[in-house]
Amino acid sequence: MSATRLLVLGVVRMHGRAHGYLVRSELLSWGADEWAHIKFGSIYHALRQLAKDGLLKSTDIPDWPGRVDYEIAPPGEEEFFRLLRDALRQGNNRPDMLGAALVLLPALSREEAIALLRERIASLSAEQGELIAKVDETAGERPQRAHIRELLGLWEHSAASQAAWTEALIERLEAGAYVMAGEEKGA
């Protein structure tokens, strides 16, 4: 799964019609170049590839040589929501995917976002249990490998921390934080 793919689809969808520079500017304003490690060339490559795959419609602008505008196609809308939902529901996934899902969170209804985040907590809890079992398993292993428990402990701690953070996000959403899909601003 690609954070770049999700982010580019999300920005084009958000704007309705967008060209590469607009997508790039939006992603830069979110700091995605830092947390998602998106390079300028990868944005343009993603736009062309998404159009080639039929997920975006491309239009050459005759009055502006070299400019191509993009709109999301129905299959692109489906792919966007599939990627967004997967990134939210999966437990201890890559930080770039979670970051992409969070900046695009308002594309979902409040109810769906909360349900997906609850799936995330279940995934993190299962992962945490598996890691605790592995730490216990390695406890009796050879002393020269005992330090491996530290890595497993770090992962277990990370899963627990992410679950607590996700629960707090759910509480904020349940309390009405953020304007979500289907809601009016200021309502």
Side-chain angles (χ1 to χ4, degrees):
M1 189 170 8
S2 165
T4 302
R5 186 178 180 92
L6 173 56
L7 287 165
V8 169
L9 284 170
V11 171
V12 172
R13 181 183 181 277
M14 181 175 44
H15 285 279
R17 187 175 179 113
H19 51 84
Y21 185 77
L22 176 61
V23 173
R24 176 183 169 268
S25 296
E26 188 73 38
L27 293 175
L28 281 175
S29 76
W30 297 347
D33 55 322
E34 294 293 324
W35 53 262
H37 309 290
I38 293 179
K39 306 291 181 231
F40 301 136
S42 64
I43 295 168
Y44 293 96
H45 173 75
L47 286 165
R48 286 188 299 275
Q49 188 62 47
L50 290 165
K52 183 179 172 186
D53 294 344
L55 302 177
L56 294 177
K57 298 176 205 168
S58 62
T59 305
D60 290 321
I61 307 302
D63 295 340
W64 199 326
R67 178 170 157 173
V68 179
D69 280 1
Y70 297 90
E71 295 176 71
I72 197 157
E77 184 88 3
E78 291 173 21
E79 177 71 353
F80 167 74
F81 280 109
R82 183 189 69 77
L83 291 170
L84 178 57
R85 289 174 178 128
D86 287 349
L88 280 176
R89 74 168 49 106
Q90 292 176 3
N92 208 356
N93 60 2
R94 297 183 348 226
D96 59 333
M97 287 306 300
L98 179 57
L102 291 174
V103 298
L104 299 167
L105 184 68
L108 298 170
S109 71
R110 185 172 305 280
E111 296 76 23
E112 184 176 13
I114 290 169
L116 290 166
L117 290 167
R118 288 197 192 287
E119 287 183 47
R120 177 180 181 73
I121 289 173
S123 174
L124 286 163
S125 294
E127 183 178 324
Q128 191 178 4
E130 291 170 15
L131 289 166
I132 289 170
K134 285 181 185 177
V135 169
D136 291 344
E137 259 176 43
T138 60
E141 289 190 13
R142 298 182 305 252
Q144 68 269 27
R145 295 185 61 201
H147 64 282
I148 294 172
R149 287 191 311 258
E150 295 299 332
L151 178 59
L152 296 172
L154 171 65
W155 291 342
E156 185 272 327
H157 180 76
S158 176
S161 174
Q162 286 193 44
W165 174 86
T166 303
E167 190 60 53
L169 175 56
I170 289 171
E171 289 173 13
R172 289 189 294 280
L173 287 169
E174 288 175 335
Y178 317 117
V179 177
M180 304 297 287
E183 299 174 351
E184 291 184 37
K185 292 180 181 173

